[in-house]
Amino acid sequence: MTKEQKLPEPSYEFLSSLLCYSACGPCTVTCGFCKAQVEAQDEHDSITYYEIDGRTWIDDCPCNGPSRYEQWILCNRETILSFLGAKAFNELRDAKQFVRDVKQAGYKPQLIRDLDELD
Ligand SMILES: [Zn+2]
């Protein structure tokens, strides 16, 4: 996507998955994508913003900065799902080996007994 193309608004689902903050005034928050600044004048005024990849995005900032990440994730979802599946498989394999090692050592705390009941 070239810089001249306007990004679509990030979806509600995507924004809901990000860390969200609210700053009460008086304060100024700067968009980490376009450098626009928004001011909250007093304690009755607040600014909602999100954080992604170490950058701040002010809610409803027209630059729609987070959309670039959302589009990348959606375009690469098969790769991401494959990666997450491989990571989950390896972590489950390692956890099962750990349980076998603990059992072999003769240690059987309640958690291991609970896991036995799941098999
Ligand atoms: Zn912006």
Side-chain angles (χ1 to χ4, degrees):
M1 179 171 285
T2 63
K3 196 168 187 166
E4 295 79 33
Q5 291 177 304
K6 180 159 175 40
L7 291 168
E9 290 182 18
S11 71
Y12 170 78
E13 293 84 359
F14 187 63
L15 290 178
S16 296
S17 67
L18 302 178
L19 291 175
C20 181
Y21 301 92
S22 183
C24 291
C27 68
T28 301
V29 177
T30 302
C31 178
F33 291 90
C34 70
K35 307 302 180 207
Q37 291 191 322
V38 175
E39 290 183 35
Q41 298 298 322
D42 55 40
E43 68 273 3
H44 303 291
D45 197 8
S46 66
I47 303 167
T48 299
Y49 60 98
Y50 297 88
E51 185 177 310
I52 182 167
D53 197 21
R55 293 204 255 179
T56 297
W57 182 69
I58 301 167
D59 194 25
D60 291 330
C61 184
C63 74
N64 294 325
S67 287
R68 189 176 317 276
Y69 293 89
E70 182 177 4
Q71 290 177 349
W72 184 87
I73 290 168
L74 290 173
C75 288
N76 294 284
R77 62 183 169 267
E78 294 299 325
T79 301
I80 293 168
L81 287 170
S82 176
F83 165 69
L84 293 175
K87 288 293 284 185
F89 176 84
N90 288 338
E91 289 183 19
L92 180 60
R93 182 199 58 214
D94 293 347
K96 285 184 172 183
Q97 183 59 50
F98 177 75
V99 169
R100 284 191 293 270
D101 292 346
V102 169
K103 284 180 178 177
Q104 198 167 25
Y107 184 66
K108 198 161 176 119
Q110 183 62 45
L111 178 61
I112 300 296
R113 288 191 291 272
D114 292 345
L115 288 172
D116 285 341
E117 293 176 13
L118 292 177
D119 288 337

